[in-house]
């Protein structure tokens, strides 16, 4: 006796279609999750007042770069990881030589590239020497014997008589500073991970036209 089995539709074709649908579902889900996480992180950074330039440092990429895979993954990262990480963790910052951190006051102005100015750069640009003032209570100071101009910046005095001359605090000196935690990136990452299974199922059913 000869027995045979005829399966309709073709079982191999059905399984191949399932696998193909699964590959597309997983890849699409990871692409959506990565894009949504990038958007959420960028929104956090902007809302924290850290600027659109830093916000745009957040990037995302889905792997594989082309095609679909059941092992697809999404990577979300920053092109400025040190800055982002500092605002995400709120670290304690100390000077490299364990001496002082110089915090510029409003009278110090900005650096050449718009960033925080250093005491050395300030002296070179203003042509004035900074003088150390120790204070037992509160931060010590680096001051300049000059004047405040119309923009509130410390500059050299033009008076020969000393009129309008003042001692202007240019930098506050502190041994360390605790950076405020302004971001919570882990919160958005956990939310993105939590929705991935639902995204995969929804995409899979869509591929199978269920």
């Amino acid at each position: 006796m000869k027995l045979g089995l005829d399966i309709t539709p073709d079982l191999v074709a059905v399984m191949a279609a399932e696998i193909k649908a699964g590959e597309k579902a997983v890849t699409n889900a990871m692409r959506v999750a990565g894009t949504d996480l990038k958007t959420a992180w960028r929104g956090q950074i902007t809302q924290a007042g850290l600027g659109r330039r830093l916000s745009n440092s957040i990037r995302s990429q889905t792997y594989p770069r082309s095609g679909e895979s059941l092992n697809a993954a999404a990577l979300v990262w920053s092109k400025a990881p040190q800055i982002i990480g500092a605002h995400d963790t709120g670290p304690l910052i100390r000077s490299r030589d364990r001496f002082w951190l110089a915090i510029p006051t409003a009278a110090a102005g900005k650096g050449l590239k718009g960033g925080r100015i250093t005491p050395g750069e300030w002296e070179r640009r203003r042509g004035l020497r900074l003088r150390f003032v120790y204070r037992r209570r509160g931060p010590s100071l680096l001051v300049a014997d000059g004047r405040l101009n119309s923009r509130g910046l410390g500059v050299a005095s033009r008076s020969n008589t000393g009129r309008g001359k003042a001692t202007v605090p240019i930098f506050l000196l502190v041994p360390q500073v605790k950076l405020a935690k302004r971001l919570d990136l882990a919160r958005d990452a956990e939310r993105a991970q939590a929705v991935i299974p639902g995204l995969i199922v929804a995409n899979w059913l869509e591929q199978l036209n269920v």
Side-chain angles (χ1 to χ4, degrees), residues 19-200:
I19 293 174
K20 186 65 176 178
E23 290 174 340
K24 290 184 177 180
V26 173
T27 303
N28 289 341
M30 297 309 300
R31 183 178 295 111
V32 170
T35 300
D36 287 350
L37 181 56
K38 177 184 70 175
T39 301
W41 280 4
R42 285 185 172 184
Q44 265 204 64
I45 294 167
T46 302
Q47 291 172 10
L50 299 175
R52 188 163 298 278
R53 182 177 180 182
L54 187 60
S55 170
N56 288 339
S57 75
I58 302 297
R59 305 296 174 86
S60 67
Q61 177 63 55
T62 305
Y63 297 93
R65 289 178 179 269
S66 61
E68 292 87 24
S69 171
L70 290 173
N71 296 317
L75 176 64
V76 182
W77 77 98
S78 169
K79 296 184 69 175
Q82 292 182 332
I83 299 175
I84 294 293
H87 288 293
D88 188 40
T89 60
L92 186 66
I93 301 175
R94 296 185 177 91
S95 67
R96 294 180 180 178
D97 56 9
R98 301 283 180 171
F99 192 54
W100 297 107
L101 286 172
I103 311 298
T105 66
K110 298 291 185 180
L112 286 175
K113 297 182 179 181
R116 179 171 291 180
I117 194 169
T118 65
E121 182 185 350
W122 192 92
E123 288 184 330
R124 290 192 299 271
R125 292 177 60 188
R126 296 290 187 264
L128 287 172
R129 297 289 295 177
L130 292 168
R131 179 165 55 86
F132 175 73
V133 176
Y134 173 75
R135 297 198 300 175
R136 293 182 61 185
R137 295 183 179 181
S140 295
L141 305 171
L142 286 178
V143 303
D145 296 317
R147 65 182 178 89
L148 286 174
N149 67 9
S150 59
R151 294 186 296 162
L153 301 178
V155 295
S157 175
R158 299 174 180 174
S159 174
N160 294 325
T161 63
R163 183 180 179 182
K165 192 172 184 180
T167 298
V168 182
I170 304 299
F171 291 92
L172 305 178
L173 299 177
V174 294
Q176 61 188 30
V177 63
K178 183 72 167 62
L179 190 65
K181 178 178 170 61
R182 304 173 71 179
L183 302 174
D184 189 355
L185 302 183
R187 178 195 65 201
D188 288 339
E190 290 170 359
R191 290 175 178 173
Q193 286 183 320
V195 302
I196 288 175
L199 288 173
I200 292 175

Side-chain angles (χ1 to χ4, degrees), residues 3-23:
L3 300 177
L5 179 64
D6 184 18
I7 300 177
T8 304
D10 185 357
L11 182 60
V12 174
V14 170
M15 294 302 297
E18 285 280 1
I19 293 174
K20 186 65 176 178
E23 290 174 340

